[in-house]
Amino acid sequence: GAGVSQSPSNKVTEKGKDVELRCDPISGHTALYWYRQSLGQGLEFLIYFQGNSAPDKSGLPSDRFSAERTGGSVSTLTIQRTQQEDSAVYLCASRGRQGPRVVTEAFFGQGTRLTVV
Amino acid sequence: RKEVEQDPGPFNVPEGATVAFNCTYSNSASQSFFWYRQDCRKEPKLLMSVYSSGNEDGRFTAQLNRASQYISLLIRDSKLSDSATYLCALSAGNTPLVFGKGTRLSVIA
């Protein structure tokens, strides 16, 4: 597609359930990011995939959070045993590459609004 | 010192005013700098990249001061439609793109 696509756009889940959020980056973009944004707050970095390198997981808030990126394209963010504090908008972004460096701006998907009840 | 710091605002300015935002960063190896705009309940969208020599796009001017480690965004002749949250973002090479918490701007008629 032309832009970053995320699904679902909205997800309501019960506390304790697992959820999977999907991100389809822009074709050819090697870098993919997941961020979390709570209401009225800034973007909290979660995880970063760059090509075939090991992902930077330094932003994941707990071991209930995991993400994978298959075939260097689609990414899935999984939250296990969801808690109410996990409620937020989860944003995915991708960046293109010129030569060995990631230099272009990040393009965002519209996000998944997760509500844990 | 936080990696990226921005004044959260809000900045309430009348139409036609000039307003400036600053964003300070701690990683001296930062190489790529951006300003994003985020409207309420929407995803961030790129406003402009920030180049070493400074750059202008219409009413918007971005500058980089490497010595003092900050970037700035100047908006001239503010419009009602400029009301949004402005986020700075930066990265060093292949490190994650890190965002500031954003500065909220309200332009008032």
Side-chain angles (χ1 to χ4, degrees), chain A:
Chain A
V4 179
S5 177
Q6 290 188 247
S7 61
S9 53
N10 282 284
K11 176 72 176 178
V12 180
T13 190
E14 290 180 352
K15 179 181 171 181
K17 302 275 189 179
D18 298 351
V19 294
E20 281 191 356
L21 313 180
R22 177 189 167 106
C23 173
D24 259 296
I26 292 173
S27 178
H29 278 192
T30 57
L32 186 148
Y33 304 81
W34 283 99
Y35 296 90
R36 177 168 73 173
Q37 188 172 36
S38 301
L39 189 63
Q41 301 299 309
L43 292 170
E44 176 188 2
F45 164 73
L46 297 177
I47 188 168
Y48 164 48
F49 296 90
Q50 172 52 52
N52 296 321
S53 303
D56 181 336
K57 304 179 182 180
S58 60
L60 295 178
S62 78
D63 59 8
R64 296 186 295 105
F65 288 73
S66 63
E68 62 178 22
R69 188 179 185 191
T70 53
S73 181
V74 172
S75 177
T76 302
L77 177 69
T78 301
I79 309 173
Q80 295 178 309
R81 305 181 302 283
T82 51
Q83 304 295 313
Q84 287 186 326
E85 61 262 28
D86 299 334
S87 297
V89 176
Y90 289 80
L91 289 157
C92 174
S94 70
R95 291 176 84 184
R97 188 167 182 163
Q98 293 178 12
R101 295 175 56 221
V102 178
V103 292
T104 71
E105 68 269 26
F107 295 86
F108 282 85
Q110 292 187 321
T112 293
R113 185 173 301 277
L114 176 67
T115 304
V116 182
V117 297

Side-chain angles (χ1 to χ4, degrees), chain A residues 33 35 37 48 56 102 106 109, chain B residues 36 38 43 46 91 94 96-97:
Chain A
Y33 304 81
Y35 296 90
Q37 188 172 36
Y48 164 48
D56 181 336
V102 178
Chain B
Y36 279 77
Q38 186 173 28
E43 75 277 17
L46 181 73
S91 67
N94 287 334
L97 188 61

Side-chain angles (χ1 to χ4, degrees), chain B residues 23-97:
Chain B
C23 172
T24 58
Y25 61 94
S26 60
N27 185 356
S28 59
S30 298
Q31 296 173 323
S32 302
F33 304 88
F34 309 94
W35 281 103
Y36 279 77
R37 170 190 170 130
Q38 186 173 28
D39 292 293
C40 189
R41 299 176 78 84
K42 297 286 189 181
E43 75 277 17
K45 293 188 177 177
L46 181 73
L47 179 64
M48 57 198 303
S49 302
V50 186
Y51 302 124
S52 298
S53 55
N55 47 299
E56 189 174 305
D57 183 1
R59 298 182 293 109
F60 300 84
T61 301
Q63 290 192 313
L64 166 64
N65 185 317
R66 285 192 187 274
S68 300
Q69 294 185 197
Y70 73 85
I71 62 173
S72 64
L73 176 68
L74 183 78
I75 305 175
R76 290 182 299 278
D77 189 23
S78 300
K79 312 290 185 191
L80 294 175
S81 57
D82 294 334
S83 297
T85 297
Y86 292 84
L87 301 131
C88 62
L90 51 97
S91 67
N94 287 334
T95 62
L97 188 61

